[in-house]
Amino acid sequence: MGYAGEYADDIAHAVALLREAHYAIALTGAGISTSSGIPDFRSPGVGLWEHADPMEVASIYVFRRNPERFYAWVRPMVAALLMAEPNPGHRALAELEAGGWLKAIITQNIDDLHQRAGACEVLELHGHLREATCISCYRIVPAGDLLDTFLASGEVPRCAACGGVMKPNVVFVGEQLPIKVVNATMEHVRRADLMLIAGSSLQVMPASQLPLLVHEHSGHLIVVNLSPTYIDDVAEVVIHADVAEVLPRVAQACAGG
Ligand code: ZN
């Protein structure tokens, strides 16, 4: 836990950059949702890694061959996702957007917590859990009831129309990112003169490359993340701390006039 004055200079610098920016955007990753109780499933030592390699079990090829295996593996994660509530980090970004300081939030998360905190322009590069698609007939349905039933029974969700396996609308390993979301993201990135990277260690392609694009056209970078990232060297402000602690102070200072 930091004391109140910790990072004061860095936060003031970040706020000054946000005030000067004409088109600031945020990029978020798993780190913004860990204090909402959602583990970063790519981090070594976190439960889901111990029994299976997500790169394999969450791949579209394995899913099509053996959906039972995927659903058994993902069940604790779905429970955590459905119970999670937005934290002060999500709320701070929503406030920054509402105040006009941020134009968009690009996220690698699938947890819906930015929207539930009140954010509007959220680009979900890795999809979301609000809907599911039948892998046989491509029918799309709201996922809420399916997931509740799955959590209770543990059985693979099936399509009501054809009996095919239902797949949540999240991007699996080996799948393309949703093209409309990618195009909208690139439009924001092209316009951005500042990117706030919050709770992402920038290890997952292609989202990890977005700060470089902003940097290439002389946009400023602010990094708030527990661990170092590859972009720290060229970022204007780097704060290695919990985003749920730092972002509310940034939002408060911006709103403070
Ligand atoms: Zn179907």
Side-chain angles (χ1 to χ4, degrees):
M1 261 313 176
Y3 63 93
E6 206 172 0
Y7 315 113
D9 291 348
D10 292 321
I11 288 173
H13 191 181
V15 170
L17 290 173
L18 278 162
R19 286 180 178 285
E20 281 167 24
H22 297 288
Y23 204 94
I25 60 177
L27 173 66
T28 71
I32 197 162
S33 292
T34 44
S35 51
S36 291
I38 301 172
D40 178 1
F41 78 95
R42 292 173 200 271
S43 294
V46 166
L48 297 177
W49 271 109
E50 285 162 18
H51 307 292
D53 176 1
M55 299 303 280
E56 192 217 339
V57 78
S59 82
I60 189 64
Y61 314 106
V62 171
F63 182 82
R64 285 180 170 274
R65 255 198 338 267
N66 191 350
E68 290 79 9
R69 184 155 169 248
F70 167 80
Y71 273 108
W73 170 76
V74 85
R75 200 170 169 194
M77 176 67 114
V78 172
L81 281 163
L82 294 186
M83 285 189 336
E85 296 291 338
N87 67 53
H90 298 107
R91 285 194 286 275
L93 289 182
E95 285 163 20
L96 284 169
E97 188 200 15
W101 306 102
L102 282 178
K103 304 296 185 202
I105 300 167
I106 301 161
T107 188
Q108 299 165 281
N109 299 338
I110 58 164
D111 55 34
D112 207 30
L113 294 182
H114 287 304
Q115 292 93 325
R116 287 176 52 205
C120 298
E121 184 67 7
V122 181
L123 298 115
E124 299 166 303
L125 282 174
H126 294 170
H128 56 79
L129 282 174
R130 292 182 298 275
E131 291 173 335
T133 303
C134 171
I135 65 169
S136 300
C137 75
Y138 302 105
R139 187 175 127 113
I140 298 171
V141 301
D145 289 349
L146 277 182
L147 292 176
D148 287 343
T149 307
F150 160 65
L151 275 185
S153 72
E155 279 171 31
V156 171
R158 297 271 171 188
C159 173
C162 80
V165 171
M166 298 302 293
K167 175 189 161 299
N169 280 5
V170 298
V171 176
F172 280 46
V173 176
E175 279 192 305
Q176 302 281 343
L177 303 190
I179 188 68
K180 281 183 188 164
V181 179
V182 169
N183 289 341
T185 294
M186 293 313 290
E187 187 54 36
H188 286 299
V189 167
R190 265 191 290 274
R191 296 178 67 181
D193 57 359
L194 187 154
M195 178 179 262
L196 165 63
I197 296 129
S200 174
S201 299
L202 301 177
Q203 286 169 338
V204 181
M205 290 272 278
S208 58
Q209 301 302 298
L210 297 175
L212 267 187
L213 300 177
V214 174
H215 176 64
E216 275 168 12
H217 61 252
S218 307
H220 298 299
L221 300 176
I222 300 170
V223 177
V224 183
N225 192 54
L226 269 182
S227 55
T229 78
Y230 81 92
I231 208 85
D232 287 2
D233 285 346
V234 299
E236 234 88 356
V237 180
V238 178
I239 302 175
H240 290 152
D242 185 354
V243 287
E245 219 177 297
V246 171
L247 294 181
R249 292 168 62 192
V250 173
Q252 208 175 8
C254 280

